[in-house]
């Protein structure tokens, strides 16, 4: 039997960026859903903090693109 543990690729240290990007994107999407939910379920306007929190979605998307470009480059 061959030892496969020594032939595995080392764990990438940049995967935290992907998890951070996904978390930001999810928080932003939840804020967008909450903005529509507040508008549908009550007569009040959504708070400014929801609109600011919704900006996490495009930021998370941008960070995910940066991660994809950074991790997709060819190793020499």
């Amino acid at each position: 039997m061959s030892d496969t543990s020594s032939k595995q690729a080392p764990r990438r240290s940049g995967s935290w960026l992907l998890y951070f990007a996904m978390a930001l994107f999810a928080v932003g999407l939840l804020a967008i859903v909450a903005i529509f939910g507040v508008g549908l379920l009550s007569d009040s306007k959504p708070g400014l903090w929801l609109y600011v929190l919704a900006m996490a979605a495009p930021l998370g998307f941008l960070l995910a693109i940066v991660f994809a470009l950074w991790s997709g480059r060819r190793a020499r």
Side-chain angles (χ1 to χ4, degrees):
M1 288 175 67
S2 63
D3 186 5
T4 58
S5 63
S6 63
K7 295 180 182 176
Q8 290 179 351
R11 191 171 177 153
R12 296 203 89 121
S13 63
S15 62
W16 63 270
L17 182 61
L18 179 62
Y19 295 130
F20 185 65
M22 288 191 307
L24 279 178
F25 190 74
V27 165
L29 284 182
L30 285 174
I32 292 170
V33 169
I35 288 170
F36 285 108
V38 168
L40 289 174
L41 299 176
S42 70
D43 290 336
S44 63
K45 293 184 178 181
L48 178 65
W49 63 275
L50 273 176
Y51 289 107
V52 172
L53 202 58
M55 289 304 295
L59 182 61
F61 186 70
L62 181 66
L63 284 177
I65 290 174
V66 167
F67 171 79
L69 293 175
W70 184 51
S71 65
R73 68 175 184 222
R74 204 179 300 189
R76 295 184 182 220

